[in-house]
Each structure stands twice: as C-alpha cells, then as structure tokens.
Amino acid sequence: MNMRAEVEWVDSRQRLPEDGMPVAAAITGRFASDDVDGRDPNAGQEFWLVRPMYFTTRHFDEDGREYHDCFVDSDGVVRLPYGRDREDHQICDDPITHWAELPTLPGTTVHYLVGEEAKTARENALGEGT
C-alpha cells in the first residue's frame, strides 16, 4: 500500500486557513545570538522550519493581548503571517511564510475517524485487516 502524502504549500500573504484549522506552518526567523559561551552553533543564523500549529481568527494571549488571524503552536506561541505587523505595529518575530493542510490518516482521505471506522482503517493501514 502506498502511504505517500502530497503537500500543497500556500503562501500566507495570499490566503489563510479556515478558523481552527490545524496546519503545518513554515516559520522563518533568526536564532538568538546572545550565546556568549559559543555553545550554540546556530546562534545568530537565519532559519526556516516546519512546525504543527493551528490557525485562529481571534486569540487572547496569556498577557491579555488580542491577536487576529494568527497561528498558534502547542506552547501557545503566536505567530503572524509573513509581512504583517502586530496590532501594536511591532514587527512579528518568526512569521509564517507558508502553511499546508495536515495529511490525511494513512490509507484514507480523512483526518479523523471514530469507533469501528477508526479500528478498521487502522487495521487496514497496518496490514492487520481480516
């Protein structure tokens, strides 16, 4: 069974995901350069990496700050689409350049299954179906 997933990356300047949608997000930025001991070989270097996040049209940060049309990771870090400043007109650190829908479950065309459907699909994907 072929388990390859195809990903379509969307430029965050062109279009944003639907509210609440989990996505793979391409983040760009620069590693902190305050490594005085020289232990971090990446200090000060630019990066571009992929992380799972979700998109929301409205988010309240722990400090009470409200964000609109932003991406949030599992640690609660808020990132904005590339090229867009925060509401307080500060430049966003580590913005999202692109996003993609997460792949479907192996061997299916869906992201979520429950009950007997989940059991059957998982067994089929693992080659355990009877």
Side-chain angles (χ1 to χ4, degrees):
M1 177 184 292
N2 186 354
M3 296 283 189
R4 298 180 64 88
E6 191 171 312
V7 175
E8 178 184 343
W9 288 102
V10 178
D11 186 326
S12 66
R13 298 170 300 176
Q14 305 297 319
R15 182 166 51 95
L16 295 173
E18 293 178 20
D19 188 33
M21 182 180 203
V23 297
I27 305 164
T28 189
R30 184 176 294 277
F31 288 112
S33 61
D34 57 357
D35 183 16
V36 294
D37 295 336
R39 294 182 194 161
D40 185 356
N42 295 319
Q45 294 189 67
E46 288 189 35
F47 66 82
W48 196 30
L49 60 88
V50 173
R51 297 232 17 223
M53 304 185 92
Y54 74 91
F55 178 79
T56 183
T57 57
R58 189 174 185 198
H59 176 77
F60 290 95
D61 207 2
E62 291 177 358
D63 64 3
R65 184 179 302 168
E66 182 177 1
Y67 292 92
H68 295 275
D69 295 334
C70 61
F71 297 84
V72 183
D73 72 14
S74 61
D75 294 327
V77 176
V78 176
R79 293 185 175 89
L80 299 176
Y82 186 82
R84 201 182 93 207
D85 293 343
R86 299 185 326 205
E87 280 80 3
D88 61 5
H89 304 289
Q90 298 294 313
I91 294 173
C92 174
D93 291 336
D94 309 338
I96 305 301
T97 62
H98 296 76
W99 61 272
E101 287 188 44
L102 295 178
T104 58
L105 289 164
T108 76
T109 59
V110 298
H111 294 90
Y112 178 77
L113 290 170
V114 180
E116 191 60 36
E117 286 183 299
K119 179 178 185 264
T120 301
R122 182 186 64 246
E123 288 174 348
N124 288 340
L126 293 171
E128 298 173 347
T130 54

